[in-house]
């Protein structure tokens, strides 16, 4: 299939592009590389050295013999987006291209505005382009488990049957997002659902949990194909951060009492889930929601697992409960359905299957690239202001 991967230079987008290309799809990466600009803003770098977008695509063409296209541009630029869809006529679009760090959206007003503007308007442009140029195209959109929040009932996959005053309906599951970023995802979901209703677009909203890991079979094939590995306080996801912290003898930064529970998945399962969604498209007019994670853990359970894995490698690690910079529920109920991707054929990589050892080894291997100054959190959910380091968003939207 001809597949556009929007955000194909990012942490999930790059290995997905390689995976889809390896599976024989005709992949075109679309990215404005704003994420690399944000690295500079945060004075942070990926733990693993990553090649430029041009060089990594060139490397993939050499290594695989596959063609892979690249389009450099911004989803906020309608001229760019409309030209892109008209020229390429994709059968599927995988949309990763959003500002995805909850802490980034909570830095201050500028970062909140940047996040919601970038994500919601970019997604809206994609919807209009599909309707105008490729109405049969399947949109596979990355949402997040955080759209649901942590309700005191089981979380369903997108929809819940409700009986109210003697009448029944199947309605979108209630949303209780926990950051300006997560709110942008909720708005995206409603915009997509609405576009499916009015235009008959086909869409799959993948409510993904927290991703860990960095390596896939394709990224291992050449050093120039390496994926990014964020560990700093804003973009680093918790398990990757804990491995790096253990490697440098920094206490594992458990926020609050560590009872916060979320759904997690290995990056190798992210790429497979996308492939499954692309190859099994939604019907015309269908708005489908899959919960994309494989296991649930509390933060404290993850810290204990990393301490054990580090110990096996002779590295002594410990955790420290630090003041939580976020506003989160503790000791809450969490039980989310996640059967639809399994039904399509997902065979999960579980955390107990040995990945932690290899992640720890990567953290140790690149130990001299770890900057201790970017490990501790400085973005405070409660004040709407960063305490240090972070100053400006990539661009103040000029169209507001
Ligand atoms: P990332 O920041 O590494 O990648 C996003 C990519 O999109 C970057 O390369 C960036 O340059 C690009 N981009 C952003 N705005 C753009 C725009 N306006 N035009 C063109 N390109 C743009 O993020 P990621 O971790 O790969 O996440 C990808 C998607 O998956 C996001 O939508 C995120 O919300 C979702 N997700 C990620 C995780 C996770 O743990 N990483 C978990 C759940 C959901
Ligand atoms: N946490 C710690 N210590 C740390 C870092 C995080 O205790 O050093 C805790 C957080 O407080 C939170 C949990 O770990 O309870 C997960 O935090 P995270 O930073 O790993 O992930 P999160 O902010 O939830 O965001 C990530 C991605 C985002 C995606 C989301 C999926 O960055 O794009 O949407 O995971 S979900 O959490 O399901 O919404």
């Amino acid at each position: 299939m001809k597949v556009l991967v929007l955000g194909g230079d990012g942490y999930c987008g790059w290995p997905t592009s390689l995976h889809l290309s390896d599976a024989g799809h005709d992949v075109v990466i679309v990215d404005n590389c704003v994420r690399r600009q944000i690295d500079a803003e945060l004075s942070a770098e990926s733990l693993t050295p990553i090649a430029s977008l041009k060089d990594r695509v060139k490397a993939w063409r050499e290594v695989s013999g596959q063609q892979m296209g690249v389009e450099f541009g911004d989803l906020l630029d309608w001229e760019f987006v409309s030209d892109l869809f008209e020229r390429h006529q994709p059968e599927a679009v995988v949309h990763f291209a959003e500002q995805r760090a909850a802490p980034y959206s909570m830095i201050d007003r500028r970062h909140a505005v940047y996040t919601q503007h970038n994500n919601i308007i970019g997604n809206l442009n994609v919807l209009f382009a599909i309707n105008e140029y490729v109405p049969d195209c399947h949109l596979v959109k990355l949402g997040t488990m955080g759209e649901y929040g942590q309700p005191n009932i089981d979380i369903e996959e997108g929809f819940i049957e409700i009986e109210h005053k003697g009448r029944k309906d199947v309605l979108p599951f209630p949303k209780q997002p926990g950051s300006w970023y997560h709110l942008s995802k909720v708005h995206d979901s409603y915009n997509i659902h609405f576009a499916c209703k009015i235009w008959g677009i086909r869409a799959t909203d993948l409510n993904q949990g927290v991703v860990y890991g960095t390596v896939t079979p394709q990224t291992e094939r050449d050093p120039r194909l390496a994926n990014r590995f964020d560990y700093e306080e804003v973009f680093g996801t918790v398990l990757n951060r804990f491995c790096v912290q253990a490697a440098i003898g920094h206490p594992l930064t458990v926020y609050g009492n560590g009872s916060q529970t979320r759904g997690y998945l290995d990056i190798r399962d992210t790429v497979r889930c996308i492939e499954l969604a692309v190859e099994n498209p939604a019907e015309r007019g269908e708005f489908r929601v899959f919960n994309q994670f494989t296991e649930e853990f509390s933060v404290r359970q993850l810290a204990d697992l990393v301490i054990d894995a580090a110990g096996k490698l002779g590295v002594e690690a410990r955790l420290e409960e630090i003041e939580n910079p976020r506003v989160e529920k503790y000791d809450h109920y969490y039980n989310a359905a996640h059967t639809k991707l399994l039904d399509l054929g997902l065979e999960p990589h579980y955390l107990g299957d040995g990945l932690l050892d290899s992640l720890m080894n990567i953290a140790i291997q690149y130990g001299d690239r770890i900057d201790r100054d970017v490990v501790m959190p400085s973005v405070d959910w409660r004040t709407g202001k960063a305490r240090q380091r972070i100053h400006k968003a990539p661009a103040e939207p000029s169209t507001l």
Side-chain angles (χ1 to χ4, degrees), residues 58-308:
K58 186 165 164 269
W60 176 248
R61 289 181 188 143
E62 284 168 18
V63 166
S64 69
Q66 301 279 353
Q67 275 311 308
M68 180 182 272
V70 185
E71 296 278 358
F72 180 85
D74 192 330
L75 296 186
L76 298 185
D77 175 353
W78 171 247
E79 298 307 313
F80 168 73
V81 176
S82 54
D83 173 64
L84 180 77
F85 278 78
E86 191 172 20
R87 270 191 298 115
H88 286 289
Q89 297 286 311
E91 294 159 270
V93 176
V94 184
H95 180 12
F96 291 106
E98 299 203 330
Q99 189 305 94
R100 69 96 169 143
Y104 192 83
S105 74
M106 301 300 290
I107 292 172
D108 58 12
R109 185 198 65 84
R110 282 180 72 113
H111 291 79
V113 171
Y114 168 73
T115 300
Q116 294 213 345
H117 183 78
N118 185 62
N119 295 0
I120 297 166
I121 307 304
N123 184 60
L124 205 50
N125 279 343
V126 170
L127 291 172
F128 272 84
I130 291 175
N131 183 46
E132 195 159 331
Y133 300 108
V134 276
D136 204 36
C137 173
H138 176 208
L139 172 64
V140 177
K141 165 67 167 56
L142 271 291
T144 171
M145 285 302 292
E147 292 184 35
Y148 302 118
Q150 292 78 41
N152 199 30
I153 57 171
D154 287 359
I155 294 172
E156 302 302 330
E157 289 194 78
F159 297 89
I160 183 168
E161 186 177 312
I162 294 183
E163 189 171 345
H164 180 63
K165 296 187 177 171
R167 299 184 69 80
K168 273 191 192 165
D169 204 348
V170 176
L171 298 170
F173 196 90
K175 308 286 172 80
Q176 303 184 76
S179 73
W180 299 120
Y181 152 73
H182 285 98
L183 278 148
S184 74
K185 292 287 190 184
V186 172
H187 203 123
D188 284 347
S189 294
Y190 284 121
N191 282 347
I192 298 168
H193 195 173
F194 183 66
C196 289
K197 274 188 211 158
I198 56 168
W199 296 328
I201 281 178
R202 45 177 103 225
T204 304
D205 203 3
L206 295 172
N207 283 341
Q208 185 170 233
V210 189
V211 183
Y212 57 80
T214 180
V215 173
T216 66
Q218 291 79 28
T219 66
E220 278 184 312
R221 286 167 67 177
D222 188 291
R224 294 168 297 167
L225 301 175
N227 191 19
R228 54 183 309 137
F229 185 134
D230 297 301
Y231 66 91
E232 43 67 43
E233 53 144 330
V234 174
F235 278 84
T237 49
V238 62
L239 190 75
N240 289 1
R241 272 169 65 67
F242 283 173
C243 291
V244 163
Q245 292 167 355
I248 56 168
H250 191 291
L252 311 193
T253 53
V254 169
Y255 295 167
N257 73 8
S259 62
Q260 310 91 303
T261 302
R262 306 280 183 270
Y264 289 82
L265 75 163
D266 187 307
I267 188 82
R268 291 172 293 179
D269 291 335
T270 292
V271 304
R272 176 68 177 139
C273 289
I274 304 291
E275 182 187 16
L276 288 168
V278 165
E279 291 178 355
N280 298 278
E283 300 296 326
R284 282 298 294 261
E286 185 186 9
F287 173 68
R288 219 170 43 165
V289 182
F290 296 165
N291 291 347
Q292 182 168 312
F293 71 94
T294 58
E295 291 179 279
E296 292 173 1
F297 295 103
S298 70
V299 169
R300 182 174 269 277
Q301 282 173 321
L302 291 178
D304 287 337
L305 288 168
V306 171
I307 290 169
D308 279 355

Side-chain angles (χ1 to χ4, degrees), residues 351-366:
L351 193 50
D353 295 346
L355 177 85
L356 270 178
D357 298 353
S358 79
L359 264 189
M360 277 301 305
N361 278 321
I362 292 171
I364 292 165
Q365 180 188 354
Y366 292 108

